[in-house]
């Protein structure tokens, strides 16, 4: 079935869905309303939307088809008039499946109350169970009393994994994308032929070694000395940092969102927390690429985007153990950005610490625009990667799911809190571990000596000219 283009709007009493389905028979339209779920079927199109609040299909509801324009306009009545339906422009959220109701932990298969024999049998079973449990506890207490009240402890044996297959990507849901990576010209992949079998610890070791091997002191000193272009890049203002205008997705962006997967995600507290950290690295990469090319992608843009994200190039996303999905410690934010800083200083064309700082400020600006602005950034990245014959896989294993998750599950409040924390963050140069301050001081010393030498040469030439006169 084909998912048609559509848009949603609302009045005080009604919700209006406009669907583009040209060359169909209006008599074949099937519309079903089930509380918050609206399904529309007209061969060969099918659309299922999940709204935030319930709707009614009553006498005031209607459906009109205009053969000249090809649009089917469906008007449904709100169950609660004047209720405002939020996020009608977030197509990925509307297309996401209805959340699954949690299943009961205990299911009663049968129950017998009036049978006295059943009651007696049940009482006997309870008494036997209690006696057994008390005996076990009594034995443990007696052993502890004989051993100076030290309870017996056993070291748990590590769980061994017998499978060589490892999972990666969004919520570790993907595998098999790099099975034949050696037969492709994937210059981003740092794990080589072992990408499908590397453990998380090995991935991190390989990534750090690759960063250290690619680090070039002379390259950094050259960019530090000749920084005119870099200062021009820093002065550029990213258009997505301006949130004054009324936000509206373009037709191209809506078309991209219609092609996103329709999945339900059930991440744990730790996974949700780490997804926000991964998002920071993704937005940093986007900020670097868009700032250095000023939103005019080049043939190297896909490589730059994928290389600067450790979750792409080394399948090594940030991994934290938080107590809350929405509370972020300063140390873990610093560590997340240190990885992005290191990669921006080791791999791309412009390698500058102050440029990395500008990209971090861009991340804060993107986050302050909420999920709509963040998804717009990810859609632009997705558009670049999708058109690359090799690096499209990173869009499949990360960006597709990320766009859906952001629209349907992410919190604008968390993004705004992160924006404030990121804007106030301070990344010390010493945390990069590449002697940046010493290299910068040495470069400045060379420049000062060259300036003094030029002044002396100028004085000598003046003295020679006066002697000749």
């Amino acid at each position: 079935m084909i998912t048609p283009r559509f848009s949603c709007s609302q009045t005080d009493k009604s919700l209006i869905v406009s669907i583009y389905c040209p060359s169909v028979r209006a008599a074949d339209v099937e519309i079903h309303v089930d509380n918050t779920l609206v399904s529309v079927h007209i061969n060969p199109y099918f659309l299922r939307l999940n709204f935030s609040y319930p709707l009614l299909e009553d006498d005031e509801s209607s459906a009109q088809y205009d053969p000249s324009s090809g649009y089917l306009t469906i008007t449904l009545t709100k169950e609660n008039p004047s209720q405002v339906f939020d996020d009608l422009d977030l197509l990925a959220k509307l297309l996401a499946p209805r959340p699954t109701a949690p299943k009961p932990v205990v299911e009663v298969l049968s129950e017998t109350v009036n049978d006295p024999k059943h009651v007696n049998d049940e009482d006997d079973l309870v008494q036997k169970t209690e006696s057994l449990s008390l005996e076990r506890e009594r034995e443990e207490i007696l052993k502890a009393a004989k051993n100076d009240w030290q309870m017996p402890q056993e070291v748990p044996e590590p769980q061994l994994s017998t499978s060589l297959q490892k999972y990666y990507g969004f919520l570790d849901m993907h595998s098999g994308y790099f099975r034949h990576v050696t037969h492709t010209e994937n210059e981003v992949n740092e794990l080589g032929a072992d990408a499908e079998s590397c453990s998380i610890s090995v991935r991190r070791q390989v990534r750090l070694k690759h960063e250290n091997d690619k680090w070039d002191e002379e390259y950094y000193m050259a960019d530090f000395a000749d920084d005119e272009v870099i200062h021009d890049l820093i002065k550029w203002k990213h258009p997505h940092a301006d949130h004054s205008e009324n936000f509206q997705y373009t037709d191209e962006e809506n078309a991209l969102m219609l092609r996103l997967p329709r999945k339900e995600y059930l991440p744990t507290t730790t996974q949700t927390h780490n997804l926000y950290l991964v998002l920071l690295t993704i937005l940093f990469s986007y900020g670097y690429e868009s700032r250095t090319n000023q939103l005019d992608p080049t043939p190297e843009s896909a490589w730059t985007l994928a290389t600067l994200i450790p979750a792409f190039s080394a399948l090594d996303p940030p991994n934290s153990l938080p107590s809350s999905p929405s509370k972020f410690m300063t140390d873990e934010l610093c560590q997340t950005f240190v990885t992005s800083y290191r990669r921006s200083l080791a791999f791309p064309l412009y390698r500058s610490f102050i440029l990395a700082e500008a990209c971090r400020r861009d991340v804060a600006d993107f986050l302050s625009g909420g999920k709509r602005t963040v998804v717009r950034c990810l859609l632009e990245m997705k558009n670049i990667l999708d058109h690359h014959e090799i690096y499209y896989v990173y869009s499949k294993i990360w960006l597709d799911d990320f766009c859906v998750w952001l629209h349907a599950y992410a919190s604008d409040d968390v993004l705004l809190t992160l924006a404030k924390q990121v804007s106030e963050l301070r990344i010390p140069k010493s945390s990069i571990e590449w002697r940046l301050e010493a290299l910068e001081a040495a470069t400045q010393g060379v420049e000062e000596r060259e300036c003094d030498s030029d002044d002396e040469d100028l004085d000598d030439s003046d003295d020679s000219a006066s002697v000749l006169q």
Side-chain angles (χ1 to χ4, degrees):
M1 304 298 285
I2 301 174
T3 301
R5 299 204 314 264
F6 71 96
S7 61
C8 300
S9 59
Q10 61 183 320
T11 63
D12 289 340
K13 297 182 179 180
S14 304
L15 186 137
I16 304 165
V17 182
S18 182
I19 305 172
Y20 181 67
C21 47
S23 305
V24 297
R25 294 179 57 188
D28 295 338
V29 176
E30 298 178 10
I31 302 174
H32 181 67
V33 180
D34 179 15
N35 198 15
T36 62
L37 192 66
V38 177
S39 302
V40 181
H41 175 235
I42 178 170
N43 195 36
Y45 300 101
F46 178 77
L47 182 64
R48 182 175 56 195
L49 303 176
N50 189 22
F51 294 98
S52 305
Y53 305 105
L55 296 166
L56 300 175
E57 190 178 8
D58 55 11
D59 295 338
E60 297 182 1
S61 301
S62 64
Q64 296 179 347
Y65 182 68
D66 184 1
S68 61
S69 64
Y71 276 93
L72 172 66
T73 304
I74 302 173
T75 303
L76 299 172
T77 304
K78 295 180 179 179
E79 184 177 285
N80 301 314
S82 301
Q83 188 171 47
V84 179
F85 281 56
D86 299 323
D87 301 338
L88 291 181
D89 59 330
L90 304 184
L91 304 189
K93 182 177 181 179
L94 298 178
L95 291 169
R98 180 187 292 180
T100 305
K103 296 182 179 179
V105 178
V106 178
E107 182 179 0
V108 180
L109 299 177
S110 64
E111 184 177 6
T112 305
V113 179
N114 298 324
D115 188 357
K117 182 180 178 181
H118 175 79
V119 174
N120 293 333
D121 292 343
E122 189 177 68
D123 291 341
D124 293 341
L125 181 62
V126 170
Q127 291 177 0
K128 291 179 180 179
T129 304
E130 288 179 350
S131 63
L132 289 174
S133 60
L134 289 175
E135 285 182 7
R136 188 181 303 111
E137 293 178 358
R138 190 180 299 110
E139 290 178 1
E140 290 184 357
I141 293 174
L142 291 175
K143 289 181 180 179
K146 293 180 180 179
N147 194 29
D148 195 20
W149 293 103
Q150 296 185 33
M151 301 295 288
Q153 302 180 86
E154 295 180 359
V155 178
E157 296 182 1
Q159 297 181 350
L160 300 178
S161 176
T162 58
S163 174
L164 295 178
Q165 177 65 60
K166 305 298 180 183
Y167 293 88
Y168 45 77
F170 189 88
L171 296 181
D172 289 334
M173 295 168 50
H174 302 279
S175 65
Y177 281 90
F178 302 98
R179 193 162 293 154
H180 306 290
V181 70
T182 55
H183 302 293
T184 64
E185 297 180 359
N186 189 333
E187 298 178 356
V188 170
N189 173 42
E190 298 178 5
L191 303 178
D194 299 328
E196 292 288 335
S197 58
C198 278
S199 64
I200 296 177
S201 59
V202 172
R203 294 174 192 171
R204 183 149 301 180
Q205 293 173 5
V206 172
R207 174 180 64 78
L208 292 173
K209 183 179 184 303
H210 192 231
E211 290 170 359
N212 290 328
D213 291 342
K214 285 293 183 179
W215 163 245
D216 189 336
E217 294 184 350
E218 294 182 359
Y219 198 121
Y220 179 79
M221 295 172 71
D223 276 0
F224 181 79
D226 188 9
D227 59 354
E228 182 178 353
V229 175
I230 291 175
H231 279 287
D232 290 339
L233 297 176
I234 293 174
K235 292 177 184 178
W236 181 73
K237 182 70 173 178
H238 202 295
H240 296 350
D242 184 10
H243 311 304
S244 59
E245 298 182 0
N246 186 24
F247 188 96
Q248 187 175 4
Y249 284 116
T250 65
D251 291 341
E252 183 181 1
E253 290 169 338
N254 285 329
L256 278 174
M257 286 190 284
L258 288 177
R259 295 196 294 269
L260 293 174
R262 287 126 199 220
K263 297 179 182 178
E264 181 183 3
Y265 304 102
L266 301 173
T268 64
T269 298
T270 299
Q271 289 175 325
T272 301
H273 185 90
N274 288 332
L275 284 178
Y276 284 110
L277 295 180
V278 176
L279 180 62
L280 298 181
T281 65
I282 293 176
L283 291 177
F284 181 93
S285 174
Y286 168 78
Y288 180 96
E289 208 293 314
S290 57
R291 179 170 288 278
T292 53
N293 291 315
Q294 300 185 0
L295 291 180
D296 185 15
T298 69
E300 296 295 324
S301 294
W303 177 88
T304 302
L305 288 172
T307 298
L308 294 184
I309 304 173
F312 289 17
S313 56
L315 306 179
D316 181 29
N319 188 13
S320 179
L321 296 175
S323 58
S324 168
S326 58
K327 294 182 180 179
F328 300 89
M329 304 299 293
T330 302
D331 290 343
E332 65 178 343
L333 292 178
C334 284
Q335 187 57 45
T336 300
F337 276 102
V338 162
T339 302
S340 295
Y341 275 46
R342 283 169 58 93
R343 301 192 72 82
S344 70
L345 297 176
F347 296 101
L349 178 61
Y350 302 106
R351 307 179 186 180
S352 167
F353 188 86
I354 57 175
L355 179 59
E357 290 277 81
C359 295
R360 177 184 55 80
R361 293 190 293 269
D362 286 338
V363 173
D365 291 336
F366 302 149
L367 293 171
S368 63
K371 64 175 72 174
R372 288 171 173 80
T373 299
V374 172
V375 169
R376 169 165 282 175
C377 298
L378 266 60
L379 289 175
E380 292 181 7
M381 294 180 64
K382 173 177 167 57
N383 191 41
I384 294 174
L385 292 173
D386 283 350
H387 286 84
H388 196 279
E389 60 182 3
I390 297 174
Y391 303 145
Y392 73 91
V393 297
Y394 299 109
S395 179
K396 296 295 182 186
I397 66 176
W398 277 109
L399 296 185
D400 285 0
D401 296 299
F402 238 121
C403 290
V404 177
W405 176 79
L406 281 166
H407 267 175
Y409 302 95
S411 168
D412 273 326
D413 293 336
V414 175
L415 295 179
L416 293 176
T417 301
L418 264 177
K420 182 179 179 182
Q421 289 185 266
V422 172
S423 64
E424 297 174 352
L425 205 61
R426 297 294 177 266
I427 307 296
K429 293 180 180 179
S430 58
S431 62
I432 308 299
E433 300 180 352
W434 282 337
R435 303 188 309 122
L436 299 185
E437 293 176 332
L439 295 175
E440 293 173 1
T443 304
Q444 289 176 339
V446 171
E447 291 178 345
E448 291 174 358
R449 287 195 296 271
E450 289 178 350
C451 290
D452 294 340
S453 177
D454 292 340
D455 292 340
E456 291 177 0
D457 293 340
L458 182 61
D459 293 339
D460 292 341
S461 61
D462 293 339
D463 292 340
S464 300
S466 59
V467 170
L468 291 174
Q469 291 177 356

